[in-house]
């Protein structure tokens, strides 16, 4: 009955609004996206450790920026980047059991910036897409991990995965799993590079969807070639 985990997302929020929301050190240059698919670039917020000068000046948070990375985590030890297509999601239940995710949980955490994501419900032979978003349309953050892969040629690819958990209402009505939405109160701790205790970090990963609503949209979103505002329009308007 239930067909897939989080495999498409949207981010059309103006960059200056993202800068204010995430406390970024600069305004990112981003193009509005309405149908971000695996293996494509997706925006993540990362934080580097503070420098000695920043610590001395009581600015110990470190620089926080948005980067576009490939969606589908490619572990550093991978022989082929194609493995990333199978690692777009990471189950919270097995983060500490799988070496690529366990290492990233300790050292390479991120926030995946979105203003919506899609889930599909199987209705007999038909798969109905739904946009999941905040009622006020504001952007929000999904819990993510990232890694850096170096090709034999020397090329470097940064990539990420979205952490998922069993669904909470109202998503339970259409899907058995959902990406973990990270509330702003937990962002500092999740991004803090000095925090490495797995139990403490797992305690931040709770699946909640109190502020999210569902909207059925056109099956145009099924094709990654379609990436325009019609993808997020209510089905009655398409």
């Amino acid at each position: 009955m239930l067909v897939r985990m989080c495999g498409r997302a949207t981010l059309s929020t103006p960059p200056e609004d993202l800068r204010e929301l995430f406390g970024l050190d600069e305004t990112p240059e981003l193009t509005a996206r309405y149908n971000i698919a695996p293996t494509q670039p997706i925006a993540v917020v990362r934080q580097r450790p503070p420098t000695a000068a920043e610590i001395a000046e009581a600015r110990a948070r470190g620089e926080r920026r948005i980067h576009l990375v490939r969606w589908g985590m490619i572990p550093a030890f991978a022989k082929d980047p194609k493995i990333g297509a199978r690692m777009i999601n990471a189950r919270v239940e097995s983060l500490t059991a799988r070496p690529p995710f366990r290492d990233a949980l300790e050292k390479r955490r991120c926030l995946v910036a979105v203003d919506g994501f899609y889930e599909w419900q199987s209705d007999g032979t038909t798969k109905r897409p739904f946009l999941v978003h905040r009622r006020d349309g504001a952007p929000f953050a999904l819990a993510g991990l990232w890694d850096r892969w170096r090709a034999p040629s020397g090329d470097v690819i940064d990539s990420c995965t979205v952490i998922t958990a069993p669904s909470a209402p109202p998503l339970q009505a259409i899907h058995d799993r959902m990406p973990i939405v990270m509330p702003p109160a937990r962002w500092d701790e999740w991004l803090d590079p000095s925090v490495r205790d797995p139990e403490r970090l797992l305690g931040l990963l709770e699946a909640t969807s109190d502020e999210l609503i569902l909207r059925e949209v056109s099956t145009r979103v099924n094709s990654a070639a379609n990436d325009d505002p019609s993808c997020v329009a209510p089905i009655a308007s398409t």
Side-chain angles (χ1 to χ4, degrees), residues 160-186:
C160 73
T161 188
V162 173
I163 303 174
T164 68
S167 288
L171 272 74
Q172 285 177 336
I174 63 168
H175 205 283
D176 59 346
R177 296 192 70 81
M178 63 175 286
I180 292 179
V181 177
M182 181 71 69
R186 299 178 184 176

mmCIF file of all heavy atoms in Angstrom, residues 160-186:
data_model
loop_
_atom_site.group_PDB
_atom_site.id
_atom_site.type_symbol
_atom_site.label_atom_id
_atom_site.label_comp_id
_atom_site.label_asym_id
_atom_site.label_seq_id
_atom_site.Cartn_x
_atom_site.Cartn_y
_atom_site.Cartn_z
ATOM 1 N N CYS A 160 24.754 13.942 0.434
ATOM 2 C CA CYS A 160 24.034 13.867 1.698
ATOM 3 C C CYS A 160 22.930 12.822 1.650
ATOM 4 O O CYS A 160 22.542 12.336 0.580
ATOM 5 C CB CYS A 160 23.427 15.227 2.057
ATOM 6 S SG CYS A 160 21.983 15.663 1.044
ATOM 7 N N THR A 161 22.426 12.491 2.834
ATOM 8 C CA THR A 161 21.271 11.620 2.980
ATOM 9 C C THR A 161 20.319 12.252 3.981
ATOM 10 O O THR A 161 20.741 13.018 4.865
ATOM 11 C CB THR A 161 21.694 10.214 3.456
ATOM 12 O OG1 THR A 161 20.579 9.328 3.418
ATOM 13 C CG2 THR A 161 22.259 10.235 4.864
ATOM 14 N N VAL A 162 19.028 11.962 3.830
ATOM 15 C CA VAL A 162 17.999 12.461 4.736
ATOM 16 C C VAL A 162 17.631 11.346 5.711
ATOM 17 O O VAL A 162 17.359 10.212 5.296
ATOM 18 C CB VAL A 162 16.748 12.910 3.952
ATOM 19 C CG1 VAL A 162 15.608 13.278 4.906
ATOM 20 C CG2 VAL A 162 17.082 14.097 3.047
ATOM 21 N N ILE A 163 17.611 11.653 7.002
ATOM 22 C CA ILE A 163 17.286 10.659 8.020
ATOM 23 C C ILE A 163 15.768 10.516 8.127
ATOM 24 O O ILE A 163 15.038 11.513 8.190
ATOM 25 C CB ILE A 163 17.880 11.060 9.380
ATOM 26 C CG1 ILE A 163 19.405 11.241 9.257
ATOM 27 C CG2 ILE A 163 17.563 10.015 10.442
ATOM 28 C CD1 ILE A 163 20.058 11.786 10.517
ATOM 29 N N THR A 164 15.301 9.262 8.152
ATOM 30 C CA THR A 164 13.864 9.000 8.225
ATOM 31 C C THR A 164 13.507 8.193 9.467
ATOM 32 O O THR A 164 14.364 7.532 10.074
ATOM 33 C CB THR A 164 13.365 8.234 6.982
ATOM 34 O OG1 THR A 164 13.914 6.900 6.990
ATOM 35 C CG2 THR A 164 13.770 8.946 5.700
ATOM 36 N N ALA A 165 12.216 8.248 9.809
ATOM 37 C CA ALA A 165 11.691 7.531 10.978
ATOM 38 C C ALA A 165 10.258 7.094 10.666
ATOM 39 O O ALA A 165 9.674 7.533 9.670
ATOM 40 C CB ALA A 165 11.704 8.444 12.202
ATOM 41 N N PRO A 166 9.674 6.219 11.501
ATOM 42 C CA PRO A 166 8.265 5.883 11.311
ATOM 43 C C PRO A 166 7.407 7.148 11.325
ATOM 44 O O PRO A 166 7.661 8.070 12.098
ATOM 45 C CB PRO A 166 7.950 4.982 12.504
ATOM 46 C CG PRO A 166 9.265 4.351 12.833
ATOM 47 C CD PRO A 166 10.290 5.425 12.589
ATOM 48 N N SER A 167 6.410 7.185 10.471
ATOM 49 C CA SER A 167 5.598 8.388 10.309
ATOM 50 C C SER A 167 4.777 8.727 11.544
ATOM 51 O O SER A 167 4.334 7.850 12.283
ATOM 52 C CB SER A 167 4.651 8.235 9.124
ATOM 53 O OG SER A 167 5.356 8.299 7.909
ATOM 54 N N ALA A 168 4.568 10.027 11.715
ATOM 55 C CA ALA A 168 3.649 10.563 12.714
ATOM 56 C C ALA A 168 2.476 11.190 11.963
ATOM 57 O O ALA A 168 2.588 11.488 10.772
ATOM 58 C CB ALA A 168 4.362 11.611 13.571
ATOM 59 N N PRO A 169 1.337 11.396 12.632
ATOM 60 C CA PRO A 169 0.204 12.049 11.968
ATOM 61 C C PRO A 169 0.614 13.456 11.496
ATOM 62 O O PRO A 169 1.426 14.106 12.165
ATOM 63 C CB PRO A 169 -0.856 12.127 13.070
ATOM 64 C CG PRO A 169 -0.482 11.042 14.028
ATOM 65 C CD PRO A 169 1.021 10.998 13.999
ATOM 66 N N PRO A 170 0.112 13.959 10.367
ATOM 67 C CA PRO A 170 -0.895 13.345 9.495
ATOM 68 C C PRO A 170 -0.293 12.456 8.402
ATOM 69 O O PRO A 170 -1.021 11.892 7.605
ATOM 70 C CB PRO A 170 -1.567 14.570 8.870
ATOM 71 C CG PRO A 170 -0.439 15.548 8.736
ATOM 72 C CD PRO A 170 0.415 15.353 9.975
ATOM 73 N N LEU A 171 1.040 12.288 8.378
ATOM 74 C CA LEU A 171 1.650 11.519 7.292
ATOM 75 C C LEU A 171 1.310 10.037 7.349
ATOM 76 O O LEU A 171 1.398 9.347 6.333
ATOM 77 C CB LEU A 171 3.173 11.702 7.303
ATOM 78 C CG LEU A 171 3.681 12.909 6.505
ATOM 79 C CD1 LEU A 171 3.378 14.201 7.249
ATOM 80 C CD2 LEU A 171 5.154 12.789 6.215
ATOM 81 N N GLN A 172 0.952 9.548 8.526
ATOM 82 C CA GLN A 172 0.613 8.131 8.650
ATOM 83 C C GLN A 172 -0.490 7.729 7.693
ATOM 84 O O GLN A 172 -0.593 6.560 7.305
ATOM 85 C CB GLN A 172 0.185 7.822 10.084
ATOM 86 C CG GLN A 172 1.328 7.753 11.077
ATOM 87 C CD GLN A 172 0.847 7.520 12.490
ATOM 88 O OE1 GLN A 172 -0.305 7.838 12.821
ATOM 89 N NE2 GLN A 172 1.701 6.977 13.335
ATOM 90 N N ALA A 173 -1.312 8.667 7.294
ATOM 91 C CA ALA A 173 -2.434 8.359 6.413
ATOM 92 C C ALA A 173 -1.984 7.978 5.015
ATOM 93 O O ALA A 173 -2.726 7.302 4.292
ATOM 94 C CB ALA A 173 -3.386 9.559 6.341
ATOM 95 N N ILE A 174 -0.768 8.386 4.628
ATOM 96 C CA ILE A 174 -0.331 8.089 3.263
ATOM 97 C C ILE A 174 0.963 7.293 3.194
ATOM 98 O O ILE A 174 1.267 6.707 2.157
ATOM 99 C CB ILE A 174 -0.173 9.376 2.430
ATOM 100 C CG1 ILE A 174 0.921 10.285 3.013
ATOM 101 C CG2 ILE A 174 -1.494 10.117 2.319
ATOM 102 C CD1 ILE A 174 1.317 11.419 2.102
ATOM 103 N N HIS A 175 1.746 7.279 4.270
ATOM 104 C CA HIS A 175 3.048 6.631 4.201
ATOM 105 C C HIS A 175 3.495 6.163 5.573
ATOM 106 O O HIS A 175 3.161 6.781 6.584
ATOM 107 C CB HIS A 175 4.096 7.599 3.628
ATOM 108 C CG HIS A 175 5.250 6.911 2.971
ATOM 109 N ND1 HIS A 175 6.255 6.322 3.685
ATOM 110 C CD2 HIS A 175 5.527 6.705 1.668
ATOM 111 C CE1 HIS A 175 7.127 5.787 2.838
ATOM 112 N NE2 HIS A 175 6.701 5.998 1.611
ATOM 113 N N ASP A 176 4.276 5.065 5.594
ATOM 114 C CA ASP A 176 4.703 4.516 6.881
ATOM 115 C C ASP A 176 5.991 5.123 7.409
ATOM 116 O O ASP A 176 6.349 4.893 8.561
ATOM 117 C CB ASP A 176 4.836 2.993 6.802
ATOM 118 C CG ASP A 176 5.847 2.551 5.747
ATOM 119 O OD1 ASP A 176 6.238 3.389 4.908
ATOM 120 O OD2 ASP A 176 6.223 1.365 5.749
ATOM 121 N N ARG A 177 6.681 5.935 6.603
ATOM 122 C CA ARG A 177 7.902 6.589 7.062
ATOM 123 C C ARG A 177 7.904 8.038 6.611
ATOM 124 O O ARG A 177 7.204 8.413 5.662
ATOM 125 C CB ARG A 177 9.158 5.866 6.549
ATOM 126 C CG ARG A 177 9.299 4.449 7.099
ATOM 127 C CD ARG A 177 10.679 3.892 6.812
ATOM 128 N NE ARG A 177 11.725 4.555 7.591
ATOM 129 C CZ ARG A 177 12.013 4.259 8.865
ATOM 130 N NH1 ARG A 177 11.339 3.321 9.517
ATOM 131 N NH2 ARG A 177 12.984 4.884 9.491
ATOM 132 N N MET A 178 8.739 8.838 7.287
ATOM 133 C CA MET A 178 8.835 10.251 6.956
ATOM 134 C C MET A 178 10.237 10.755 7.290
ATOM 135 O O MET A 178 10.938 10.188 8.139
ATOM 136 C CB MET A 178 7.809 11.059 7.755
ATOM 137 C CG MET A 178 8.023 11.003 9.270
ATOM 138 S SD MET A 178 6.904 12.081 10.207
ATOM 139 C CE MET A 178 7.636 13.692 9.827
ATOM 140 N N PRO A 179 10.679 11.824 6.608
ATOM 141 C CA PRO A 179 11.947 12.440 7.009
ATOM 142 C C PRO A 179 11.788 13.110 8.361
ATOM 143 O O PRO A 179 10.694 13.573 8.711
ATOM 144 C CB PRO A 179 12.194 13.471 5.901
ATOM 145 C CG PRO A 179 10.860 13.755 5.330
ATOM 146 C CD PRO A 179 10.071 12.481 5.454
ATOM 147 N N ILE A 180 12.854 13.140 9.133
ATOM 148 C CA ILE A 180 12.799 13.759 10.455
ATOM 149 C C ILE A 180 12.953 15.268 10.311
ATOM 150 O O ILE A 180 13.962 15.766 9.806
ATOM 151 C CB ILE A 180 13.889 13.194 11.371
ATOM 152 C CG1 ILE A 180 13.588 11.724 11.680
ATOM 153 C CG2 ILE A 180 13.987 14.009 12.663
ATOM 154 C CD1 ILE A 180 14.619 11.050 12.556
ATOM 155 N N VAL A 181 11.912 15.978 10.724
ATOM 156 C CA VAL A 181 11.943 17.441 10.718
ATOM 157 C C VAL A 181 12.651 17.897 11.984
ATOM 158 O O VAL A 181 12.260 17.538 13.097
ATOM 159 C CB VAL A 181 10.523 18.019 10.656
ATOM 160 C CG1 VAL A 181 10.560 19.543 10.716
ATOM 161 C CG2 VAL A 181 9.813 17.542 9.383
ATOM 162 N N MET A 182 13.710 18.680 11.816
ATOM 163 C CA MET A 182 14.503 19.146 12.950
ATOM 164 C C MET A 182 14.034 20.537 13.371
ATOM 165 O O MET A 182 14.177 21.502 12.613
ATOM 166 C CB MET A 182 15.987 19.202 12.558
ATOM 167 C CG MET A 182 16.932 19.639 13.662
ATOM 168 S SD MET A 182 17.145 18.421 14.988
ATOM 169 C CE MET A 182 18.051 17.123 14.140
ATOM 170 N N PRO A 183 13.426 20.681 14.560
ATOM 171 C CA PRO A 183 12.948 21.992 15.003
ATOM 172 C C PRO A 183 14.105 22.947 15.277
ATOM 173 O O PRO A 183 15.204 22.516 15.656
ATOM 174 C CB PRO A 183 12.170 21.673 16.276
ATOM 175 C CG PRO A 183 12.728 20.377 16.755
ATOM 176 C CD PRO A 183 13.151 19.616 15.528
ATOM 177 N N PRO A 184 13.892 24.245 15.073
ATOM 178 C CA PRO A 184 14.965 25.230 15.262
ATOM 179 C C PRO A 184 15.668 25.147 16.611
ATOM 180 O O PRO A 184 16.871 25.414 16.697
ATOM 181 C CB PRO A 184 14.239 26.575 15.088
ATOM 182 C CG PRO A 184 13.103 26.257 14.170
ATOM 183 C CD PRO A 184 12.658 24.875 14.569
ATOM 184 N N ALA A 185 14.952 24.764 17.667
ATOM 185 C CA ALA A 185 15.560 24.700 18.994
ATOM 186 C C ALA A 185 16.683 23.673 19.071
ATOM 187 O O ALA A 185 17.507 23.725 19.992
ATOM 188 C CB ALA A 185 14.486 24.381 20.043
ATOM 189 N N ARG A 186 16.736 22.740 18.114
ATOM 190 C CA ARG A 186 17.760 21.698 18.133
ATOM 191 C C ARG A 186 18.866 21.913 17.103
ATOM 192 O O ARG A 186 19.801 21.121 17.027
ATOM 193 C CB ARG A 186 17.112 20.333 17.903
ATOM 194 C CG ARG A 186 16.088 19.964 18.968
ATOM 195 C CD ARG A 186 15.430 18.626 18.688
ATOM 196 N NE ARG A 186 14.393 18.316 19.657
ATOM 197 C CZ ARG A 186 13.607 17.264 19.611
ATOM 198 N NH1 ARG A 186 13.745 16.394 18.614
ATOM 199 N NH2 ARG A 186 12.694 17.061 20.528
#
